[in-house]
């Protein structure tokens, strides 16, 4: 059955891929995005874009006038761990404050389903892998803390107003739309895979490996890279699951890859060498983050379609070749 969804941050990297999946499945989509980090070109034809901030009353009024909505999917946020360690207040003010304004407007408009983009940063640097939904929460940065606060606010909205919500703790989003319509284009770019691809293609300086003395087999950090379109389908699975009650789900593939393994995969996929510099650790990087997504798989049947790093990187590479300057 076709639904109608309000998506904040729908011009951003993960949000735009989720909008694409919603449209592909025949749903109607209204996007709120201020285009401060997102791209107008990333909002596919068929979606309505309302330009503005997701905590701005006039923007919210315009958006909810286009309802009624079956659910709100809230992607808009500041989302860089390192940036949040230097400039914490926009993270608290906007990720929490604007989220509350959105939530109040959604509840006033009668919306009772809500999906939050949350993060693996909630878990800090746990000793035991993989990370399950029962791993203790210990946010490692103002970014993670802002998502933790908003998860708690959603829990109260459930208790008081009967909101059904899912908080989805993304591990490392990677890759690009397999149909080639969308990709990853951040400014500044800080993420490993796009930087490694650009270094291989000679479009950026050599890649700096942040730390080679971690307690991992090759000394570099291990992460769980999940394809952005698999994150998108997980949102739809979660929306069905919350009919049975609010949920938190960890989203990864369950496989961890070191920075050196990612570089080797980029070299296989591109057929080019990635020039590297071995540098110091980056503040706040936990040595290993690998997800268990057993809960969402058991409860909804969701499975990641992209299970190998090479497949994920191949989609990112294809988009980068077709869009060497991103959306510009
Ligand atoms: N890295 C490098 N060199 C670079 C960039 C990254 O060595 O130039 C390393 C990082 O130190 C890290 C790994 O590559 O070990 C991945 O780094 P990313 O910056 O690509 O991603 P993060 O793991 O830092 O963060 C991402 C999201 C966050 C989210 C987190 C959850 O950006 O929003 O995953 O795991 F919180």
């Amino acid at each position: 059955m076709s639904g109608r969804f309000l998506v904040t941050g729908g011009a951003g990297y993960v949000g735009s891929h989720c909008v694409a999946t919603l449209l592909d499945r025949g749903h109607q989509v209204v996007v709120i995005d201020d285009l401060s980090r997102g791209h107008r070109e990333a909002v596919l034809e068929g979606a309505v874009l309302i330009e503005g901030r997701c905590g701005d009353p006039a923007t919210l009024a315009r958006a909810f006038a286009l309802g009624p909505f079956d659910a709100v999917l809230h992607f808009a946020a500041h989302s860089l761990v390192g940036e949040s360690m230097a400039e914490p207040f926009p993270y608290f003010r906007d990720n929490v404050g604007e989220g509350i304004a959105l939530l109040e407007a959604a509840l006033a408009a009668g919306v009772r389903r809500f999906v939050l983009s949350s993060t693996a940063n909630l878990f800090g640097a746990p000793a035991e892998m993989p990370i399950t939904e029962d791993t203790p929460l210990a946010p490692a940065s103002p970014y993670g803390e802002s998502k933790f606060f908003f998860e708690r606010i959603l829990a109260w909205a459930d208790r008081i107003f009967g909101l059904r919500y899912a908080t989805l703790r993304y591990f490392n989003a990677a890759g690009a739309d397999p149909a080639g319509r969308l990709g990853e284009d951040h400014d500044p770019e800080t993420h490993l895979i796009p930087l490694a691809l650009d270094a291989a293609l000679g479009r950026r300086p050599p890649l700096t490996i942040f730390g080679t003395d971690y307690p991992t087999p090759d000394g570099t950090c291990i992460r769980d890279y999940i394809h952005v379109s698999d994150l998108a389908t997980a949102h739809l699975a979660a929306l069905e699951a919350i009919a049975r009650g609010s949920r938190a789900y960890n989203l990864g593939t369950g496989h961890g890859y070191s920075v050196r393994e990612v570089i080797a995969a980029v070299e296989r996929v591109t057929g080019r060498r990635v020039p590297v510099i071995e540098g110091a650790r980056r503040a706040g990087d936990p040595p290993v983050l690998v997800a268990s997504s057993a809960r969402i798989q058991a409860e909804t049947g969701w499975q990641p379609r992209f299970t190998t790093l090479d497949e994920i990187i191949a989609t990112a590479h294809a988009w980068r070749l077709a869009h060497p300057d991103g959306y510009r």
Side-chain angles (χ1 to χ4, degrees):
M1 213 178 68
S2 159
R4 195 168 178 78
F5 296 93
L6 180 62
V7 180
T8 72
Y13 174 45
V14 184
S16 64
H17 284 78
C18 196
V19 169
T21 299
L22 289 166
L23 293 172
D24 289 347
R25 297 199 181 176
H27 299 301
Q28 296 180 323
V29 180
V30 175
V31 168
I32 295 178
D33 201 300
D34 69 355
L35 302 179
S36 61
R37 296 270 165 119
H39 306 273
R40 188 181 302 279
E41 301 77 10
V43 179
L44 293 182
E45 206 177 312
V48 175
L49 170 63
I50 297 183
E51 213 178 313
R53 296 186 67 92
C54 67
D56 169 53
T59 303
L60 288 167
R62 281 174 63 204
F64 282 104
L66 300 176
F69 295 106
D70 295 284
V72 169
L73 286 75
H74 181 35
F75 295 88
H78 302 289
S79 63
L80 295 174
V81 173
E83 181 182 74
S84 81
M85 297 293 285
E87 295 170 46
F89 298 120
Y91 281 75
F92 296 126
R93 186 176 58 235
D94 299 339
N95 291 2
V96 181
E98 298 207 44
I100 292 171
L102 169 69
L103 180 58
E104 282 193 276
L107 289 166
V111 174
R112 288 296 176 274
R113 293 197 298 164
F114 196 101
V115 183
L116 174 69
S117 299
S118 191
T119 171
N121 193 260
L122 283 189
F123 297 105
E128 296 212 352
M129 291 297 143
I131 297 171
T132 72
E133 290 79 2
D134 298 322
T135 298
L137 299 179
S141 67
Y143 168 54
E145 193 80 68
S146 72
K147 293 292 184 175
F148 174 70
F149 286 157
F150 203 65
E151 290 201 3
R152 297 299 310 149
I153 290 164
L154 290 173
W156 285 106
D158 178 332
R159 208 160 131 184
I160 298 169
F161 302 110
L163 181 78
R164 292 288 173 267
Y165 68 91
T167 72
L168 302 181
R169 286 86 172 255
Y170 306 161
F171 282 60
N172 287 59
D177 175 36
R181 298 168 294 179
L182 303 166
E184 183 166 14
D185 182 5
H186 295 113
D187 185 18
E189 187 54 81
T190 62
H191 296 94
L192 177 62
I193 291 174
L195 289 176
L197 281 169
D198 276 1
L201 299 173
R203 297 189 57 92
R204 281 186 202 263
L207 178 78
T208 301
I209 300 179
F210 294 143
T212 53
D213 59 349
Y214 282 97
T216 59
D218 69 17
T220 65
C221 287
I222 293 176
R223 294 287 181 275
D224 183 339
Y225 296 88
I226 176 167
H227 195 280
V228 63
S229 300
D230 285 328
L231 287 179
T233 58
H235 286 71
L236 296 181
L239 274 170
E240 286 184 22
I242 59 178
R244 303 185 296 278
S246 297
R247 295 282 195 282
Y249 289 132
N250 292 356
L251 295 178
T253 65
H255 302 287
Y257 296 96
S258 72
V259 173
R260 288 193 203 281
E261 287 174 323
V262 171
I263 292 167
V266 168
E267 291 183 337
R268 281 194 300 275
V269 168
T270 61
R272 291 166 178 252
R273 278 195 30 73
V274 177
V276 299
I277 295 170
E278 296 193 355
R281 291 184 178 195
R282 183 172 69 178
D285 277 342
V288 184
L289 292 173
V290 178
S292 165
S293 294
R295 183 176 290 177
I296 187 171
Q297 294 188 20
E299 291 187 0
T300 73
W302 171 85
Q303 293 276 348
R305 179 179 149 205
F306 293 87
T307 53
T308 72
L309 190 56
D310 289 43
E311 286 176 284
I312 294 172
I313 291 173
T315 62
H317 180 225
W319 193 76
R320 206 66 196 155
L321 284 180
H323 303 269
D325 297 312
Y327 287 104
R328 279 173 298 281

